Amino acid sequence: MLFDYVDSGNSDLSAYSTERYGNFSGYVQDLLDVIGLLQLSDIIFIGHSVSSMIGALAEAAVPTLILQCSDDSIVPVEVGEYLHKHLKNSEFRLMQAKGHYPYISHPEETIALIQGYL
């Protein structure tokens, strides 16, 4: 299943509210609402950057793979380490990939790490 968070992609921009989406909690609740409405279970959530943070907050207790680029100009290694420290059942992998889009710049490494985790 694919979906766009409010204020991104093909979402209805008129649904945006600063009260609801001024922090992550509104986005997290949207994700939990979709999961509940569709009665989903055994979910593999794939998100990038902020989206992955929303997914992690939505269900911090489920097993989580954290892929961190070794030299990311947007998200430093300390962010990945922080997530790993604070998310139960997380596995942290520091990638050889540099940059912010490892699935584009280093798809082989990204795929291998995800397959190894699964």
Side-chain angles (χ1 to χ4, degrees):
M1 175 191 80
L2 298 172
F3 79 99
D4 290 322
Y5 293 108
V6 171
D7 82 350
S8 66
N10 292 317
S11 69
D12 178 5
L13 297 179
S14 68
Y16 182 83
S17 154
T18 303
E19 285 180 27
R20 181 170 177 95
Y21 300 107
N23 59 47
F24 283 147
S25 63
Y27 296 100
V28 169
Q29 189 58 55
D30 285 354
L31 178 57
L32 293 173
D33 290 348
V34 168
I35 291 168
L37 180 69
L38 298 176
Q39 300 178 347
L40 301 176
S41 63
D42 298 323
I43 299 166
I44 296 174
F45 182 88
I46 299 173
H48 171 73
S49 197
V50 173
S51 178
S52 63
M53 178 62 73
I54 292 167
L57 291 171
E59 190 56 56
V62 300
T64 304
L65 173 63
I66 301 167
L67 296 180
Q68 175 70 49
C69 290
S70 60
D71 185 16
D72 187 327
S73 61
I74 298 172
V75 182
V77 172
E78 291 80 10
V79 173
E81 291 170 341
Y82 177 88
L83 287 173
H84 178 53
K85 181 178 178 183
H86 291 90
L87 292 175
K88 293 179 181 179
N89 299 318
S90 67
E91 189 173 315
F92 178 81
R93 291 289 177 255
L94 183 60
M95 302 176 75
Q96 293 177 1
K98 296 180 180 355
H100 189 66
Y101 303 101
Y103 52 88
I104 294 173
S105 63
H106 295 79
E108 296 84 8
E109 180 184 11
T110 304
I111 291 167
L113 289 169
I114 292 171
Q115 286 178 334
Y117 177 75
L118 297 175

